[in-house]
Amino acid sequence: VKLPVQLNTRMNVAKSAYRVFSANSSAACTELAKKITERLGVELGKSVVFQESNRETRVDVKESVRGQTIFIIQTIPRDVNTAIMELLVMAYALKTSCAKNIIGVIPYFPYSKQCKMRKRGSIVCKLLASMLAKAGLTHIITMDLHQKEIQGFFSFPVDNLRASPFLIQYIQEEIPDYRNAIIVAKSPAAAKRAQSYAERLRLGLAVIHGEAQCSESDMADGRHSPPCVRNTTGHTGLELPCKQQAPFPGIELPIMMAKEKPPITVVGDVGGRIAIIVDDIIDDVGDFVAAAEILKERGAYKIYIMATHGLLSADAPRLIEESAIDEVVVTNTVPHEVQKLQCPKIKTVDVSMILAEAIRRIHNGESMAYLFRNITVDD
């Protein structure tokens, strides 16, 4: 039976339709979603996300999503666990409502620092990836993962966008005399990211080396203890107390030498320069404040901090305001309007443009390569 032309056209439209939802219950967290939908020229999907009196998360989708591709934009506020639960519940609600594809737009991926085994802990980032897949997500768009290898935790595609083009543009347009600047890594671990900025801006590179205190990873956790060998008597069968000894009698395993932290030094000349410290996340600002003081002592006359995700927890605004830091520049992957009111040194760069373009390209089945042009393996 041949369908009428009008009905057939409606079916084609429905097949290619997509909707954009926000899974945040907080109004402050929906600002990025509104900017993205404005750029896309679509309306934000109708849904209600709220917390019950006992703090349970409830999601009510107010329109049909059957057979459609759905994008869920979820920005992560200070209440990380609530935001994760909102995302999981909404994804599962859309899955059970017969959505065709459910794509999560998570600019800042939470728990990304817990992506390695620490002592007897767990790799929480892997757990979260499994939970998102189970809830129904089929694809994720994120930005500047703490470690690129996190993409391997997922059983579905992950697009890890970069914020560096926007931050580099800010440096070129908003920092006077940026040609007299030097890019600084606050630790050797951040040197690769700093090198990427330095090479693109044709600037010098400096690295802060050494620590004033022992890091958690260097604390003894008991793993070097020799195994427990139990001695038992033959005639009574009673087990004697555990006795610590070497694995094999007469053999001693080589012991790893303990690390000795050198005094804090700056590798590179920052005298008379503008120092620009780059990193992916700025949360506890203690390290950044200490780095700024060292750079000031070495002769830097202005200090900028550039980071993708401005979590700025606890007393971060006050500490920044009282420090030698002149300006902190972050993107709007994480809402921080309250922190900006507390500290005028905090500036924001809008990245909704690249997120909207990623959504458009994925929906239309276009290549994402354009968004990763000139991005190398080390970036």
Side-chain angles (χ1 to χ4, degrees), residues 279-293:
D279 213 336
D280 60 330
I281 299 172
I282 176 168
D283 187 4
D284 181 6
V285 299
D287 291 345
F288 292 93
V289 170
E293 291 176 357

Side-chain angles (χ1 to χ4, degrees), residues 10 38 40 68 85 88 112 150 156 170 176 180 183 199 227 232 241 252 261 275-276 312 314 327 335 341 371:
R10 286 178 181 175
E38 285 176 5
L40 291 169
Q68 298 187 36
M85 202 63 205
L88 292 171
S112 58
I150 291 174
F156 49 76
Y170 183 93
N180 189 37
I183 305 298
E199 290 176 351
T232 58
E252 291 187 3
K261 298 293 181 182
I276 303 175
L312 302 170
E327 197 168 283
L341 293 174
L371 303 181

Side-chain angles (χ1 to χ4, degrees), residues 107-168:
Y108 166 64
F109 194 80
Y111 286 98
S112 58
K113 284 190 174 183
Q114 297 190 46
C115 61
K116 296 179 181 179
M117 180 61 76
R118 298 283 184 183
K119 300 180 182 177
R120 298 178 183 88
S122 61
I123 306 176
V124 184
C125 194
K126 167 62 176 173
L127 171 64
L128 181 55
S130 301
M131 291 168 64
L132 292 173
K134 191 68 176 177
L137 289 182
T138 57
H139 193 147
I140 276 184
I141 302 170
T142 187
M143 181 167 282
D144 280 339
L145 287 169
H146 187 59
Q147 297 288 341
K148 295 185 290 295
E149 292 77 11
I150 291 174
Q151 296 174 76
F153 292 163
F154 294 88
S155 58
F156 49 76
V158 176
D159 286 309
N160 182 29
L161 303 176
R162 305 298 197 274
S164 51
F166 296 90
L167 296 175
I168 288 173

Side-chain angles (χ1 to χ4, degrees), residues 275-322:
I276 303 175
I277 304 173
V278 297
D279 213 336
D280 60 330
I281 299 172
I282 176 168
D283 187 4
D284 181 6
V285 299
D287 291 345
F288 292 93
V289 170
E293 291 176 357
I294 293 165
L295 294 171
K296 276 286 186 183
E297 291 174 1
R298 299 295 194 278
Y301 70 91
K302 269 196 174 181
I303 298 167
Y304 290 81
I305 306 252
M306 315 290 291
T308 304
H309 310 296
L311 306 186
L312 302 170
S313 301
D315 293 332
R318 179 182 61 81
L319 294 174
I320 292 170
E321 186 66 25
E322 296 172 356

Side-chain angles (χ1 to χ4, degrees), residues 337-356:
E337 293 304 317
V338 174
Q339 290 90 327
K340 287 179 69 176
L341 293 174
Q342 297 172 346
C343 177
K345 292 182 179 180
I346 301 172
K347 308 296 180 184
T348 307
V349 175
D350 182 22
V351 293
S352 62
M353 181 189 302
I354 192 170
L355 294 170

Side-chain angles (χ1 to χ4, degrees), residues 355-369:
L355 294 170
E357 181 63 14
I359 291 173
R360 188 192 69 79
R361 284 177 175 271
I362 289 173
H363 170 64
N364 293 332
E366 299 176 18
S367 171
M368 295 285 284

